Every structure is written in structure tokens, then in C-alpha cells.
Amino acid sequence: MRTRVSLTGRFAAVVLALAGVVSDLRKDGAYAVRTLVKSPAFATVGVLSLALSIGASALYFAQVDALVRRTLPGATDPDRLVVTQAPVSFPDFERFREQRSIAARAAAFIGPVPFSVALEDAEDGSQRVFGHIVSPEYFVTLGVAPVAGRLFQPDLEIPGSAPVVVVSERFWRTRMDADPNAVGRPLRVNGQSATIIGIGPKDFLGVYPINPADLFVPVTAGASMAPELRDDASGSDRESFRVVLRLAGGATVAAAEAALDVATADPDQQARGLDDARSSAFALRPGARLLPASGLAPIPPELRAQLFGANVVLLALVLSLACSNLAGLLLARAIRRRREIAIRLAVGASRRRLVRQFLTESVALALAGGVAGVFVAYWLVELYPSSSVGLSTSAPAELNTRLDLGVLLFSFVVAVLAGVGFGLIPALVSTRADVATGLKAGPSPRARSHRLLGFRNLFVAYQVAASLMLLLVTGHLVVGYQRSAGLDTGYQTAGLYLFALDPIRDGYTADESVVILNALPLRLSELASVRAATSSRRAPLADLLIRPSTRVWVPTGDDAGTVTMFSVAEERVGASYFATLGLPIVRGRAFMDGEQGTNPAADASPDRDVPIVVNQTAARELFGSVDPIDRRIHAAGRVYFVIGVVQDARSGFMQPEPPPTVFLPLTPEDTGRASAQGTTVVVRGAPGSGTIAGIRAEVQSLYPDLTVFNLRTMRGQLDRFNVLAQQASMMGVGLGAFGLMLACIGLAGVTTQAVARRRKEIGIRLALGSSRGRVTGLVLEEGAVLVTAGAVLGFAGGFVLSRVLSATSAELARLFAAGAGDPVLLVGAPLLLGGLALAACYLPAHRAGRIDPLSSLREE
């Protein structure tokens, strides 16, 4: 009985204690709100600084969340899904599928793949739609359910059956007007008729939807509908499939990788018993590396730091600036409230109670900033909407950013940490004030003796340093982007037009495709509105970066067996390519019509040397000072000989220095096969003529079933990429400007606080005859010391930070190198910061010179 009473009493005591805490918190919260409302300027500055920094951070967190963590819509237990990092062969996929101890299910797919798609009964022509070629187990492995109809089934989709496809819910909604009878309708895919059997789940756009898939074609459809399946891709060792696995219960990614290494090991190699070094080299197959099937894009864990490190550091600087600014404002506010604090201490309030009250105020302010930050993040999402950027080598990339519960939770956590972490020091410092001095409203002797190393000055010095670091780092990035975007291409872009063709996907045979792509440039060049026309496998300046990835061997010295290996970029171009672009041949000659690959038998012969043209960079790196004409190089079992050297021109948009490049003639093998980017036709139009209309009319008259896509001017293509550079530059400028604003606000606040702290001293100086200008100078001097100290630290920190970021990414290293030694950055940034900081100090310093000596002397 006593035990029951004792437990009841304890429970009641706990309840009463909790009720008291809740009541105190409610009172503290109400008092904090009233206090902030009475100080609108202080509250506005604090909320705005936090809102902007938290809003920018929330937007970036949402982008990272989409890239890395967003799961597949509609998938069952998506955390158990993994994908091979590199493509594998279909036989390898079949061996993966047999590993039941690690893979409960497995499916193979090729994507993104373009298709020429048209509704059978629609009047408009075909459109280019990207999708996936999938094994019948694809949807079963992912565990998704259709909106309507059915999805592929392994026992139903077999070779020789009637062609069927599945469309995405987005395709059904936007291109079929959400037709309730869509299932069963015929669809023309690459010139072949197929039946729609199902509509995918809502928001499902395939694995890794940064390249969204709107059409799903089974591997049983054959090469007539999916050219990627030609040459029996499902039975050969050609590595073109990615494999998605659903891990079995208890299986880990590491165990799965180890098992797949064993499953894909070469049995002949194992039988030969090769040495350990060679065996390990063969065992580390790239296809056995597994990545999570979540997020918009496949990003290996070791690359995430490189991709996100720079922005994380910059946003951390912005957040720390906002938080230190909040701490400085709270300290300055505490100085103005020192009389209130002294009175509350004198009448019996405990310091613990006051600390809790001030922490409540700072948390309330931070929460208001967090709520405002969410609205800022929504505004930024609308300002920079999700965009689609198409490169020549890939499908259009879509980065859809949305603010979900995780982003809101992130904003809330940041706000609470900012309020508690940076409100604690001001609360502790302000409640240690001397009661007698506070009641007399005079300055604290402790404050006078610790002016230079006080918390307030340290916060401001850090703000100046962090702001200069932001200016220097973002300045380097902006200069790098602008210089990359603003350099000359090396040829005349005015009057240059580009479009792409892919006859295979429009139902033409490989031989017909060769004839079309060989004849069309000649027919277009006969038009009155066209000066010249040519073709190429890849459009000029259609990629951000071109990396030398083709290995070639160049004979060196007198010994014919001595060779040196180089890496070069490879381009395949047609006759008149250099003349059409306006690139001069500086040595030798260009390709002639007979060298464009019109003889398939001769081109396929391994004994036939292939003519090539190299750019100036390749001639210099491969042959040095030796004349490159007629020199031989070896690659992939073929011999190539140099017939000409072309002037250097930009290859990648963000690549001012051209890589060593080897130009090969287009062959029937190139023009007779389908590719994701198609074959590009380059046209030089006559001035003042309707070139685009003439191109469309001529192609339509010659080949009515041929789909012309990506028709644009060269200038328009460059402008599209310039938008990316401008957005990146605007982000850098915005971060730098925001850092400057926060530093100026903090400096102005600490200067105002210094004036209030030294009010009596200033009054005495004025009473003894000191001029108002001299007093203003004394106040500015303290601000100048803080600015100088912060600038020195910021300059050193910016230098170190740029080196650290350069070490994490080759692209960042290139951007920082572009701005290295720029006087605008090295001299202009510190001068700009110093000028604005001193300007922020001037107003409170000017007010200090107008203090009435009599009123200040009466304060004590």
C-alpha cells in the first residue's frame, strides 16, 4: 500500500514539474514574442539573415536529396535495389540472375535509348522519345504496379511474339491526353507497329530518372524495333546492359559484389592458373560494382564528396555568417538591455532564469528565420525551375527539385541549432553583468578592458574573414565560368545551323541510312540558301567537356618497334567539315569525297591505312617538332596516317584549351547504325536567307518519313550553355554579395554597440574640447582594426580553401586556375570588402560625434 502511494506521489510530482516547465516555457515564449515585436529593426535583420541562408541551404539540400536519396516511385522495398555501375553483357546478366543467394530477382536494361514514336491514328508526325530496352523481369524486379493494363511478364514476353510496349504515366497524360482507352492502342516505334499493353506507375520514369524513360520496350522486340539489339546483343559478349538486382534477405552489397566477381570470372583464365597480379586485374570487373538504385543519377559514394564538397563548404560559410551575425546582434542587444538585466537581477531573478529567457528569444528568432527560410526556398525553386538540358551524347537531363518533409525538417533543425548554439554565448555574457554598474547605466569596466578580444569583436572579425573567403572562392568560380563561356570558338558561328538525323529509328535499313546521310549534305549544298553542308558523328561544341579517351601509339626513334602511348579525343567527320565550319588547314589537306567511307569493303579491310587529320595540339603532343604529314599512328589494330593539320578550335563548351584531337572520316559503319545522338548535319547558310525553312522543306520532300530533331542555330546552342554558366555565376555572385551584406550588418551592429559602450568616454572627450571629427575617427579606428584583422585571416583562408577544393575535383581545379592571379580578385575583393565595411561603420561613428556631452555625463 505504501509502495502504491509512494509511486502515485512521485508520478504526481513529475506531472506537476512538467506542468511548471511547460507553463514557464509558455510565458517565456510569449515574453520573447512581445520583446521581438517591440524591436522590429532587430527582429527584421535577424530573420532576414537567417531566412536567406537557411533558404539557400534548404534548396541545395533538396537538390542533393533528389540526386542521392530519392527512391523510385511505386517500387516495393526500394532500399534493397542495386544497379551495376558499368554495363555488362547479357550472358553476364544471366549469371547474375542465377545467384539466388544474393539476388532475389534481377533484370537487365539499356537506357536511355531514343525512339521515333507516333500514334498510328494521329495526324501529327513522329516524335523523339527516350526510353529503356528491358528484360521481361524489369517491372517484377522493381516491384511496381501499373496504372492501367499490365506490365511485362517473363512467361508472356518471348521472342517471336507480337511487339508490345509499356508507356509511362507522363507519356499517357501529356501525349495521349490521358486517353482511358490507351491500353490496346497501336503505336509506331522506329517505324514498327507495337501495341500498348500497360501504363506505368505515377511519377515512375525508370531507374535513374535524371534521364527519364517514357517508353519501355522488351528485349524480345528484336533489332527491327530496337537497333541496339542488332548483332544479337542479348547473346554476345558486348557489354551494353545494366543490371538491376533485388538483394535477397540478409545479403549485403559487399557480399553481392564478391559473389558476382566469382560468377563473372573467366573460367579459361582460372584453368590456366595465371599469376596473382593478372588474375586480380581480370577479377576486378567494372560490372560487378553495385550502386544504390535510388536518387536521380548513379553517383558512386567516393564521388559524392567531389560533386557536393564545394557547395557544402560555401553554404556552411553562409550559414556560419548568418549565425555569427545573429550572435553579434544578440550581444549588441544585450548591451542595450543591461539596465533591464540589472534590475531583474536586483529584484531576485536567477541568472539561470535569465539565460533561459534569452535562449527562448534567440530560438524564437531562429524559428521565425527558419519559417521564412522555407518560403525563400520555395521562391528559389520557382526562380530556378527544374530544367531539361540536352547534350549531344545523352538524353535530356531533368533535375526536378521539390521541397518535401525532409527538407522542412532540415530547415527546422538548422534553425533550432542556430538559436541555441549562437544564442547561448550572448545569454551567458549578458547575465554576468555587474548589477551596480548596470543600474547606473554606465559602461562596464570589464567591457572597456576587453574591447579587442571580446566575443562581439571576435564574431565580427570572423564575419569579415568568412565574407572575404566567400568573395575570393566565388570570384574564382565566376571568373572561371565567364572565361570559359566568353572565349572564341575558333570559327565563325554566325550563319551556322545544326540538326540531327537517325534514319534507322525511322524504319530505314542500314544501307538506306548510309545512302541518305551521304547524299543529303550534297543535296542541301545545292540550295540557294546554303553555302556548304557536311555531317559529323557529334555536333561541334555540344558537350561541356571532351576528355581524351582514345589510346594511340606513335612510333618513336629509329627503332620501328619503339612506340609511345598517348590519349586523344576522337571525332568522325564528313567531307567539307572543316570548310563548312571555317576552320583552316594549316598543313597538308582536308578529307576528300573519296575518303568519306563510301567503300564498305575497303573500309573494313584491316590492311588499309586510314587517313586522319589532327589538330595543332595533337600534332604538337604526338610528333613534337617533326612534320606530322604522312606520319603513322596505331590504334585498335589499325594503322592511321596523317594527311593534314587543322587549326585548334574549342571542343567542349567549358573547355577553353582544346584537347589533342584526331579527326577520322565517316564510314558506312558510322552512318549505318543508330545512336542516341544521331548523326549531325552542319549547314552554313547564306546571309539573309531562310535557311531553316529551306532545310525542312528539302528533307521533307526527299524523305517524308525522316524525323529531323535538334534543329538549332550554332549561336542558339551556345546561348543555351551560356545560360548554365550564367546561372552558376549568378549563384556565386549571390553568395558573395550575401556574405558582404552579412559582414556589413555585423560590423555596423558591433560599431553601434561600441558607441553605446563608450558613450561616457565620448562625452568626456567632447566636453574637454575634442572635435567631432576626431571622435568619429576614433570610432572608425576600432572598426578598421576589425576589418584589417578579418581581411588578413580571410585572404589566407580563401587561399587555403581554394587549394583544398581544387584537390577534390579536376573541374574545380580548372575553374580556380582560370582566375588565378586576377587583379580584380586579389586586389578588388579586399578593397571592396574594406570599403563597404568602413561605410557600414561610418553611420554609427558619425552619430557618436553628435553625442550630447551633458546627457552622457549625467548617466552615472
Side-chain angles (χ1 to χ4, degrees):
M1 187 68 177
R2 287 183 180 179
T3 302
R4 182 178 300 177
V5 172
S6 176
L7 290 175
T8 303
R10 290 180 182 179
F11 177 75
V14 170
V15 171
L16 290 176
L18 289 176
V21 171
V22 171
S23 177
D24 289 342
L25 289 176
R26 182 182 59 80
K27 293 177 182 178
D28 288 345
Y31 182 79
V33 171
R34 289 197 304 270
T35 303
L36 293 176
V37 169
K38 291 179 181 178
S39 303
F42 163 78
T44 300
V45 172
V47 169
L48 280 179
S49 60
L50 284 173
L52 292 175
S53 58
I54 291 176
S57 302
L59 175 63
Y60 179 70
F61 179 78
Q63 293 175 341
V64 173
D65 183 70
L67 281 171
V68 178
R69 294 183 60 253
R70 187 175 298 174
T71 57
L72 289 174
T76 302
D77 196 10
D79 294 335
R80 305 295 298 171
L81 295 172
V82 292
V83 181
T84 54
Q85 179 179 354
V88 301
S89 66
F90 203 84
D92 276 346
F93 156 66
E94 292 177 328
R95 285 191 284 270
F96 287 4
R97 187 170 50 187
E98 294 169 0
Q99 302 296 311
R100 293 301 182 184
S101 61
I102 62 168
R105 291 187 179 275
F109 68 96
I110 304 175
V113 175
F115 297 93
S116 179
V117 178
L119 293 172
E120 290 278 10
D121 52 354
E123 297 181 358
D124 54 348
S126 60
Q127 296 177 322
R128 194 170 175 84
V129 176
F130 281 84
H132 285 172
I133 302 171
V134 303
S135 65
E137 305 91 350
Y138 183 79
F139 294 106
V140 177
T141 301
L142 298 180
V144 297
V147 170
R150 70 172 181 88
L151 303 177
F152 300 141
Q153 299 291 336
D155 55 341
L156 297 178
E157 274 59 62
I158 57 176
S161 57
V164 294
V165 296
V166 171
V167 299
S168 70
E169 188 271 344
R170 184 177 73 170
F171 181 95
W172 169 70
R173 179 169 30 86
T174 59
R175 306 202 181 194
M176 302 183 70
D177 297 325
D179 181 9
N181 300 315
V183 176
R185 286 186 62 179
L187 198 68
R188 290 196 67 80
V189 180
N190 291 343
Q192 307 296 317
S193 180
T195 303
I196 299 174
I197 62 169
I199 301 170
K202 182 176 175 57
D203 297 329
F204 178 79
L205 297 172
V207 178
Y208 297 137
I210 192 170
N211 298 126
D214 285 304
L215 186 71
F216 301 91
V217 175
V219 294
T220 56
S224 59
M225 182 176 294
E228 283 74 13
L229 297 176
R230 76 172 191 167
D231 300 330
D232 193 22
S234 62
S236 70
D237 291 331
R238 186 153 55 92
E239 296 178 341
S240 54
F241 290 88
R242 290 185 185 271
V243 178
V244 55
L245 306 170
R246 179 173 292 279
L247 295 177
T252 63
V253 172
E257 290 177 342
L260 296 181
D261 279 338
V262 174
T264 57
D266 186 355
D268 295 332
Q269 171 197 330
Q270 294 177 351
R272 290 192 300 268
L274 298 180
D275 58 88
D276 293 340
R278 293 184 60 190
S279 296
S280 62
F282 278 91
L284 294 175
R285 297 175 57 87
R289 176 72 187 276
L290 299 177
L291 301 176
S294 58
L296 293 178
I299 303 176
E302 65 272 13
L303 294 181
R304 293 179 184 178
Q306 296 183 12
L307 293 175
F308 307 131
N311 287 330
V312 168
V313 170
L314 294 180
L315 288 173
L317 280 175
V318 170
L319 270 175
S320 66
L321 269 171
C323 292
S324 59
N325 186 49
L326 174 63
L329 289 173
L330 290 171
L331 281 170
R333 178 174 170 80
I335 292 295
R336 291 194 296 270
R337 298 174 64 184
R338 63 188 183 277
R339 186 176 181 86
E340 172 197 341
I341 295 171
I343 293 174
R344 297 178 69 177
L345 288 172
V347 297
S350 66
R351 283 186 168 83
R352 181 179 178 182
R353 180 72 176 83
L354 291 179
V355 168
R356 191 180 69 189
Q357 174 63 62
F358 292 150
L359 274 179
T360 304
E361 291 181 18
S362 63
V363 170
L365 185 65
L367 288 178
V371 172
V374 172
F375 287 100
V376 170
Y378 274 107
W379 174 72
L380 290 175
V381 168
E382 295 297 326
L383 185 63
Y384 297 102
S386 302
S387 58
S388 175
V389 180
L391 304 181
S392 69
T393 56
S394 64
E398 297 182 3
L399 178 58
N400 298 312
T401 302
R402 63 171 182 258
L403 302 177
D404 53 16
L405 182 61
V407 176
L408 298 180
L409 182 62
F410 167 81
S411 302
F412 174 79
V413 170
V414 170
V416 171
L417 292 178
V420 175
F422 289 86
L424 184 60
I425 292 177
L428 293 174
V429 171
S430 60
T431 55
R432 294 172 62 187
D434 182 70
V435 176
T437 304
L439 291 174
K440 292 185 287 187
S444 170
R446 182 180 182 87
R448 283 200 301 268
S449 62
H450 292 81
R451 283 201 304 265
L452 295 180
L453 297 179
F455 283 112
R456 296 172 293 278
N457 290 347
L458 291 178
F459 279 136
V460 172
Y462 170 76
Q463 289 181 44
V464 175
S467 178
L468 184 56
M469 290 170 63
L470 268 178
L471 274 180
L472 292 174
V473 173
T474 57
H476 276 90
L477 296 177
V478 169
V479 170
Y481 283 124
Q482 294 301 325
R483 288 184 177 178
S484 298
L487 290 180
D488 186 19
T489 60
Y491 49 86
Q492 182 62 40
T493 59
L496 207 59
Y497 301 86
L498 310 171
F499 65 93
L501 300 172
D502 196 357
I504 299 293
R505 300 189 196 279
D506 290 321
Y508 293 91
T509 65
D511 292 337
E512 290 171 337
S513 176
V514 172
V515 172
I516 291 172
L517 295 175
N518 283 339
L520 187 59
L522 298 176
R523 293 293 302 268
L524 292 177
S525 61
E526 297 173 356
L527 297 176
S529 59
V530 175
R531 286 185 172 179
T534 187
S535 56
S536 64
R537 199 60 178 161
R538 179 168 54 195
L541 275 180
D543 297 276
L544 292 176
L545 293 172
I546 301 294
R547 302 190 184 279
S549 57
T550 300
R551 292 183 177 181
V552 299
W553 285 263
V554 179
T556 57
D558 298 331
D559 185 2
T562 304
V563 296
T564 303
M565 193 271 289
F566 297 91
S567 293
V568 298
E570 178 185 319
E571 300 282 358
R572 293 190 173 267
V573 300
S576 305
Y577 179 81
F578 306 112
T580 302
L581 264 65
L583 283 174
I585 300 294
V586 297
R587 187 86 173 86
R589 62 177 179 84
F591 297 122
M592 296 185 296
D593 288 336
E595 292 170 326
Q596 195 178 355
T598 56
N599 188 342
D603 290 330
S605 174
D607 299 328
R608 178 176 181 263
D609 292 354
V610 180
I612 59 172
V613 175
V614 298
N615 67 351
Q616 291 173 302
T617 300
R620 185 169 55 253
E621 292 191 9
L622 269 60
F623 307 109
S625 59
V626 179
D627 186 1
I629 302 301
D630 290 331
R631 291 292 301 272
R632 261 60 177 173
I633 66 174
H634 303 262
R638 298 294 298 268
V639 179
Y640 303 83
F641 67 98
V642 180
I643 63 171
V645 178
V646 68
Q647 177 181 291
D648 278 339
R650 293 180 68 184
S651 298
F653 179 78
M654 300 297 295
Q655 197 168 13
E657 299 298 328
T661 305
V662 172
F663 297 90
L664 287 78
L666 275 174
T667 66
E669 183 181 359
D670 299 320
T671 54
R673 73 169 189 262
S675 66
Q677 68 268 23
T679 298
T680 298
V681 179
V682 185
V683 176
R684 172 72 66 182
S689 58
T691 305
I692 291 182
I695 291 172
R696 288 187 181 277
E698 185 69 11
V699 175
Q700 184 66 25
S701 65
L702 293 174
Y703 311 104
D705 297 329
L706 200 60
T707 302
V708 176
F709 58 95
N710 287 346
L711 178 58
R712 72 276 192 199
T713 65
M714 190 69 207
R715 186 70 260 169
Q717 176 166 298
L718 293 179
D719 290 341
R720 180 182 60 183
F721 283 115
N722 274 322
V723 170
L724 297 178
Q726 290 169 2
Q727 288 183 350
S729 299
M730 287 175 59
M731 186 69 175
V733 170
L735 286 175
F738 182 56
L740 268 178
M741 181 185 69
L742 286 180
C744 292
I745 290 174
L747 197 55
V750 81
T751 306
T752 301
Q753 168 201 329
V755 171
R757 189 178 66 241
R758 301 173 63 184
R759 182 177 176 84
K760 183 176 180 63
E761 172 194 343
I762 293 172
I764 294 174
R765 288 179 179 273
L766 291 173
L768 293 177
S770 179
S771 66
R772 298 187 183 275
R774 176 62 177 164
V775 170
T776 301
L778 286 174
V779 177
L780 283 175
E781 181 181 347
E782 184 171 341
V785 171
L786 293 176
V787 171
T788 303
V792 171
L793 294 174
F795 203 92
F799 177 82
V800 172
L801 185 57
S802 64
R803 293 296 182 270
V804 171
L805 294 178
S806 296
T808 63
S809 169
E811 176 63 14
L812 286 177
R814 187 189 63 78
L815 291 175
F816 281 119
D822 193 316
V824 175
L825 292 176
L826 299 180
V827 179
L831 289 179
L832 175 63
L833 175 62
L836 291 178
L838 290 178
C841 294
Y842 177 74
L843 184 59
H846 178 67
R847 289 177 178 172
R850 301 176 64 87
I851 290 176
D852 182 13
L854 294 178
S855 61
S856 65
L857 292 174
R858 292 195 194 102
E859 286 183 352
E860 187 170 350

